[in-house]
Amino acid sequence: MSANTWLATGNFYTTYKQEQKTFFTSLDRSVFTFFLIILFAWPLFFPLSNKFMLVIDNTLIAVVAVMGLNLVTGFAGLISIGHAAFVGIGAYTVASFCRTMGDTHIIITHFWPLMIILSGLVGAGFGAIVGLPALRLKHLYLAIATLSFQMIFQWVINFMTFFNQGQTISVGRVFWFTGKVGRKDHYFFWYYAILVVVMFIANTV
């Protein structure tokens, strides 16, 4: 590989370690750093209403889901139609705690980072339950298996009163170092929380 990482015109690897690097040149690293600064800084200079911040938050949540689906479809080349169910399991894990302990319980309001981690682990657990029997399936058969799980998940959520039959389930306002996150800053706060999760997953994957 070129000794000058700024003027390199190509990537000529001599080791596997060089090929597995996240940033191949210094220019790549600089552009990514600049893009990262913009992602974290723009809400401070161009504040938006809750309506628009909600759309952006939902977009970032979709990004997390797509990065998970990319492992199955992008890297493994397999078709998964039931990915929304695994994302929903994570969401309804928090909803289950709120229905059981109350939406203002200290675990929900103060220990919400642990709830995010727990939700991801529960979703991964169900993914393993569905994935183990489907290890030898591929193409149309894997698509049908994942679609079946999607339909089962949808039926359970829509017909169980515990999950309010798929309707809204109240979750208490979370607390941060500055205190309780108010309605005005709710979606602004979650933008940064979800963005950190996106960055962590992108760096891990």
Side-chain angles (χ1 to χ4, degrees), residues 122-168:
V122 173
F126 275 90
I129 293 173
V130 177
L132 287 176
L135 280 176
R136 300 182 65 85
L137 300 178
K138 58 182 179 179
H139 306 312
L140 178 62
Y141 302 101
L142 179 62
I144 293 175
T146 55
L147 178 61
S148 300
F149 180 73
Q150 172 73 31
M151 300 303 295
I152 293 172
F153 171 79
Q154 185 175 346
W155 187 93
V156 170
I157 296 302
N158 287 339
F159 287 91
M160 283 190 65
T161 56
F162 179 78
F163 296 111
N164 201 22
Q165 295 182 320
Q167 302 301 313
T168 302

Side-chain angles (χ1 to χ4, degrees), residues 16-200:
Y16 287 113
K17 185 177 181 180
Q18 291 178 350
E19 190 175 4
Q20 293 173 352
K21 291 195 305 182
T22 303
F23 304 105
F24 298 129
T25 65
S26 297
L27 181 61
D28 294 338
R29 185 183 297 105
S30 300
V31 171
F32 178 80
T33 302
F34 179 72
F35 179 68
L36 199 61
I37 292 174
I38 291 178
L39 285 179
F40 278 92
W42 76 263
L44 301 175
F45 299 97
F46 304 97
L48 300 178
S49 64
N50 283 344
K51 178 177 65 175
F52 293 104
M53 287 304 297
L54 173 60
V55 174
I56 296 175
D57 290 353
N58 288 334
T59 302
L60 288 179
I61 293 174
V63 169
V64 175
V66 168
M67 287 193 294
L69 183 61
N70 184 50
L71 294 175
V72 179
T73 304
F75 287 96
L78 301 174
I79 300 175
S80 175
I81 305 179
H83 194 71
F86 299 110
V87 178
I89 285 174
Y92 278 98
T93 298
V94 178
S96 300
F97 275 88
C98 293
R99 297 282 287 184
T100 304
M101 301 182 302
D103 59 348
T104 58
H105 195 278
I106 188 173
I107 294 180
I108 304 296
T109 59
H110 290 73
F111 295 95
W112 53 269
L114 294 179
M115 293 302 304
I116 294 177
I117 296 175
L118 178 62
S119 300
L121 293 176
V122 173
F126 275 90
I129 293 173
V130 177
L132 287 176
L135 280 176
R136 300 182 65 85
L137 300 178
K138 58 182 179 179
H139 306 312
L140 178 62
Y141 302 101
L142 179 62
I144 293 175
T146 55
L147 178 61
S148 300
F149 180 73
Q150 172 73 31
M151 300 303 295
I152 293 172
F153 171 79
Q154 185 175 346
W155 187 93
V156 170
I157 296 302
N158 287 339
F159 287 91
M160 283 190 65
T161 56
F162 179 78
F163 296 111
N164 201 22
Q165 295 182 320
Q167 302 301 313
T168 302
I169 297 178
S170 177
V171 178
R173 300 283 182 185
V174 299
F175 282 74
W176 189 235
F177 294 113
T178 56
K180 185 177 181 180
V181 178
R183 177 177 177 82
K184 180 181 178 181
D185 301 322
H186 178 75
Y187 298 111
F188 176 81
F189 168 81
W190 282 112
Y191 168 80
Y192 285 102
I194 303 171
L195 184 60
V196 169
V197 173
V198 170
M199 293 296 105
F200 175 77

